[in-house]
Amino acid sequence: MTRLSQYSEAFWGSSFTSTAGFEALAQRMKDGRHMCKEFEEYLKQRYEAENRYSKDLQKLEKNMKLKEETGVLERSWNKLKEEMEKMVQIHQDAAANFLKQLDDVKKFNEAQTAKKKAMEETVKKYQSNKINLYSRCMNNHKNYKDKCREKDSASDNYSVMRSSVTVQAKDLEKANKAKTKADEDAVKAETAYKSSLDTLESARDLWEKEMQAACDVFQKLDYDRIKFLREHLWVSLNVDSQVAVEIDDCCESVRQVLEHCSMENDICAFIEKYQTGTNRPARIFFEDYYTNTDTMGRRGQRSGGQRSQPPRSNGATMSDEDGLYATLQSPPDASTVTSFDKLLIISRPHTKQMPCELTVEVGQKVHFVRQMTNGVQVRLAESNKFGIIPNSCIRL
């Protein structure tokens, strides 16, 4: 079976008043317009989605304000922030592309609809005229047949009466007039019938030409529509592919930085940037209240009112006057044992870090009180305030 390729070959019908071929083509045009409308909606939704997504990415990128991280991970994060700016632009470009295609499809669909509507109206007009003339022709045909029957009947009646010997001349004359009138009516009916046939044929010929033209126009519109939608659908898919490629390039740029991320190196980078020191705080030992001297230089008493008498360095004992001064806990040598009024000069500054310590400056004068395990207890010369400072801060 030969495959038909032209609308003008396939959308006719044997019935004179049939409109099935035209209706099939009109429905095809309607379906094509619906397809264009669906593609319009697709492009509109894609534009809105890309535009909305680009704005969300832009908002996300502005909220990426990491400042605490260090090392390669920090550089990777900053690179991601930089690439996200590119991703925002990529999706904005995609949205603009979809919007442009949407405008093109709308214009194309409007142009096709205008051409289709004009052709449909022309064909419908000739089709309606053809059907009306066909109906009139069929009426003339029926009237022609009726008049022919009347003519035959009148002719037969006249022949019978003329051959009859009993018929009167008056009746025969009347039959002859009826026969003559029937002949005239039959001739008129025949003329009207033939005339309506000629008119109908002329209308059919005009309709056929317009239907032929409509088939050609509809096929051309269909061809252009399929080609247009195929090309623009291809372009829209290329937009998605291009977005995917460019987004992957952005991701690859971040991955290239992230490849050099090492847990050990990032930890070392954090230490180098934020380290606070390598010396740990020393142990704090128990201080017996009754074996220590208070801030006024008086020794505490144990139960029973007895004063404790700590041993003097090198086996010596303290006199009553020495009770005003503190004992040396663990003097390095005899030279460190000084009186309460021994005046010292600060040779190295120190900032107070604990409640029991003092803040001192270079050149400041202090009085030695006693040697501690974690430093030297002194009294400020200008304020008589007691506290502890490191051994390295004084010069005896």
Side-chain angles (χ1 to χ4, degrees), residues 368 370-377 388-391:
F368 177 85
R370 61 172 173 163
Q371 181 68 44
M372 305 288 290
T373 58
N374 58 341
V376 180
Q377 186 178 30
I388 300 173
I389 61 175
N391 291 324

Side-chain angles (χ1 to χ4, degrees), residues 305-318:
Q306 299 295 322
R307 295 176 182 271
S308 62
Q309 183 68 25
R312 170 78 76 171
S313 176
N314 297 328
T317 60
M318 295 181 65

Side-chain angles (χ1 to χ4, degrees), residues 281-306:
R283 176 181 177 182
I284 299 177
F285 294 92
F286 172 75
E287 297 180 11
D288 191 339
Y289 173 80
Y290 296 100
T291 60
N292 296 331
T293 304
D294 62 16
T295 59
M296 298 301 295
R298 296 171 295 189
R299 188 179 304 282
Q301 294 184 350
R302 294 183 181 275
S303 61
Q306 299 295 322

Side-chain angles (χ1 to χ4, degrees), residues 158-321:
Y158 176 74
S159 297
V160 170
M161 291 183 68
R162 191 176 60 176
S163 61
S164 175
V165 293
T166 59
V167 67
Q168 296 180 2
K170 182 180 178 180
D171 292 334
L172 182 61
E173 182 62 24
K174 185 178 179 180
N176 185 41
K177 289 181 178 181
K179 172 180 174 301
T180 301
K181 186 176 183 307
D183 290 341
E184 291 175 354
D185 291 343
V187 170
K188 290 179 180 180
E190 180 179 355
T191 302
Y193 175 41
K194 288 180 179 180
S195 178
S196 65
L197 281 174
D198 293 338
T199 304
L200 181 60
E201 176 58 22
S202 178
R204 186 201 66 80
D205 185 60
L206 290 174
W207 168 81
E208 184 176 330
K209 290 178 181 178
E210 291 300 325
M211 183 62 182
Q212 174 76 34
C215 289
D216 295 338
V217 170
F218 289 163
Q219 182 163 351
K220 181 65 168 57
L221 291 175
D222 220 12
Y223 180 90
D224 292 343
R225 179 185 62 83
I226 295 171
K227 180 182 178 182
F228 179 87
L229 292 178
R230 183 193 68 174
E231 292 176 353
H232 279 69
L233 186 56
W234 193 288
V235 171
S236 68
L237 294 174
N238 283 346
V239 172
D240 288 331
S241 297
Q242 185 65 26
V243 168
V245 170
E246 293 179 359
I247 293 295
D248 186 65
D249 289 342
C250 294
C251 296
E252 181 61 24
S253 298
V254 180
R255 285 193 291 264
Q256 288 175 356
V257 178
L258 202 57
E259 285 176 350
H260 301 287
C261 180
S262 166
M263 287 69 76
E264 295 80 5
N265 291 338
D266 275 23
I267 289 174
C268 290
F270 170 75
I271 293 174
E272 291 174 1
K273 186 175 182 179
Y274 295 102
Q275 62 179 329
T276 59
T278 58
N279 296 327
R280 303 182 185 185
R283 176 181 177 182
I284 299 177
F285 294 92
F286 172 75
E287 297 180 11
D288 191 339
Y289 173 80
Y290 296 100
T291 60
N292 296 331
T293 304
D294 62 16
T295 59
M296 298 301 295
R298 296 171 295 189
R299 188 179 304 282
Q301 294 184 350
R302 294 183 181 275
S303 61
Q306 299 295 322
R307 295 176 182 271
S308 62
Q309 183 68 25
R312 170 78 76 171
S313 176
N314 297 328
T317 60
M318 295 181 65
S319 65
D320 292 338
E321 294 177 356

